[in-house]
Amino acid sequence: MANPLRRFTFDLDLGRASAEPQPSFSETQLSEATADARQEGYAQGYADGEQSASVLAARALSAAAENIAARGIEMAAAVDDARAETLREAVSLATSIGTKLASTLIARYPLAEIEALIAECLATIDNAPHLVIRCEPGLADAVKEIATARMATSSFAGRLVVMGDPEVAMGDCRIEWVDGGLVRDVSAISAEIDKRVAAYLAARGASRREEN
């Protein structure tokens, strides 16, 4: 019969030390291991720092590029505005000079354009019964002399009437016949010039915006 107490016996002797050898390090090995760890940590830290610096540099370059692009757009717009302003100033100056020159010429030669207008009318109104010329009152006598001289070399045989009209400016003239008439009005001409100049500048501005 088996001994019932056998199951409670143990083959392991807890009081006996383990026969497996425990690892041990010399002071030199420990120093070398520490140095290696430090070197590895330094290398990793340097790599991480370099990567961070690269990222920061890339971000800085990107921001700088965006800033330069924005400034470039602003500068281009400023150049366009300056060009448009220069064009407006040039056109305005040319118009102003032309207006002053015309005023000077009219003041010096007030009959020149009136004579040209009379000659144009007499060439086309052969059968008109009469011709009425309205001009600045101080020019009435001179205009009558010019018209009479012109009639002598034309086929017009109607009646000539020259009237001084205080509402007609110096150098202006209104010529009327039965079925027509011609008017020279410096103020109306100046207004038409200003209108065309404004239309030209507006068209240039619209064209510039479409190009952009």
Side-chain angles (χ1 to χ4, degrees):
M1 181 178 180
N3 186 359
L5 297 177
R6 178 127 182 120
R7 67 181 64 181
F8 300 104
T9 61
F10 301 90
D11 294 332
L12 180 61
D13 186 355
L14 298 178
R16 186 175 56 189
S18 174
E20 296 180 0
Q22 297 296 323
S24 60
F25 297 93
S26 65
E27 185 175 348
T28 301
Q29 291 175 327
L30 184 59
S31 297
E32 292 177 353
T34 302
D36 292 342
R38 287 178 179 174
Q39 182 66 28
E40 183 179 353
Y42 174 80
Q44 183 63 41
Y46 181 83
D48 292 343
E50 188 178 34
Q51 183 178 4
S52 298
S54 298
V55 171
L56 292 176
R59 290 177 181 174
L61 287 174
S62 177
E66 291 179 0
N67 186 39
I68 291 173
R71 291 295 298 275
I73 294 174
E74 293 176 0
M75 291 177 64
V79 169
D80 289 340
D81 292 341
R83 184 183 294 111
E85 182 62 24
T86 300
L87 177 63
R88 284 192 294 268
E89 291 178 356
V91 172
S92 177
L93 178 61
T95 303
S96 177
I97 292 174
T99 300
K100 290 181 179 180
L101 181 60
S103 299
T104 300
L105 291 174
I106 289 172
R108 182 173 296 183
Y109 309 105
L111 296 172
E113 292 297 326
I114 295 176
E115 184 174 1
L117 201 62
I118 292 173
E120 181 180 348
C121 289
L122 292 175
T124 58
I125 58 170
D126 297 341
N127 299 320
H130 64 271
L131 182 68
V132 178
I133 303 175
R134 301 177 186 273
C135 62
E136 195 272 334
L139 299 179
D141 292 340
V143 170
K144 186 173 183 179
E145 290 181 4
I146 291 172
T148 301
R150 287 284 181 177
M151 286 173 59
T153 59
S154 70
S155 58
F156 176 71
R159 186 168 64 95
L160 173 66
V161 178
V162 178
M163 302 175 58
D165 189 339
E167 294 185 358
V168 178
M170 179 67 70
D172 288 350
C173 181
R174 297 176 185 174
I175 302 178
E176 303 167 351
W177 57 93
V178 174
D179 55 355
L182 288 175
V183 177
R184 185 179 189 278
D185 187 339
V186 174
S187 296
I189 294 173
S190 298
E192 181 64 22
I193 291 173
D194 292 340
K195 180 180 178 181
R196 294 189 180 188
V197 167
Y200 168 76
L201 292 176
R204 285 295 300 268
S207 176
R208 181 69 60 182
R209 287 192 296 271
E210 290 178 358
E211 291 177 359
N212 296 334

